[in-house]
């Protein structure tokens, strides 16, 4: 979620947002277009020439191949960006043992008070 809020430089943020918007628009369009092409192919098989039906089936296969290719390339690109972001944006908390011999006011001055940890943080 942190990466989605701030994925990195401005161009990466725009690319991520643009791909999300395209995915939301292209997915229903590809689904409806594929369904219409297949529906037309079935109608042409029953009432008209087989050549037109084969053409519509080929169009459907091409449409879904291009859609899947774009989706996989886009997903792979954003996974690579996420892995790079994760590699360079690690949060590490160093926990030091409590010292029983120091009074509590000195422990707080040294920063030895108990810390509230986020579930996403790694303890080292």
């Amino acid at each position: 979620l942190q990466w989605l809020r701030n994925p990195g430089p401005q161009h990466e943020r725009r690319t991520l947002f643009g791909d999300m918007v395209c995915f939301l628009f292209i997915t229903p369009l590809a689904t409806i277009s594929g369904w219409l092409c297949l529906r037309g192919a079935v109608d042409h098989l029953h009432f008209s020439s087989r050549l037109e039906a084969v053409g519509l089936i080929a169009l459907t296969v091409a449409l879904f191949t291009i859609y899947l290719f774009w989706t996989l390339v886009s997903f792979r690109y954003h996974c690579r960006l996420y892995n790079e972001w994760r590699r360079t944006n690690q949060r590490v908390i160093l926990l030091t043992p409590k010292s029983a011999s120091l009074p509590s006011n000195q422990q707080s001055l040294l920063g030895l008070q108990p810390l509230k940890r986020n579930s996403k943080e790694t303890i080292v």
Side-chain angles (χ1 to χ4, degrees), residues 19 65-80:
D19 284 346
T65 302
I66 292 168
Y67 170 75
L68 287 175
F69 179 74
W70 173 79
T71 302
L72 291 174
V73 167
S74 179
F75 183 75
R76 185 174 176 204
Y77 172 74
H78 291 296
C79 283
R80 189 172 46 102

Side-chain angles (χ1 to χ4, degrees), residues 2-17:
Q2 290 176 359
W3 177 70
L4 289 175
R5 284 187 216 126
N6 187 14
Q10 185 67 25
H11 70 280
E12 291 176 8
R13 191 173 304 152
R14 270 183 285 171
T15 303
L16 178 64
F17 179 73

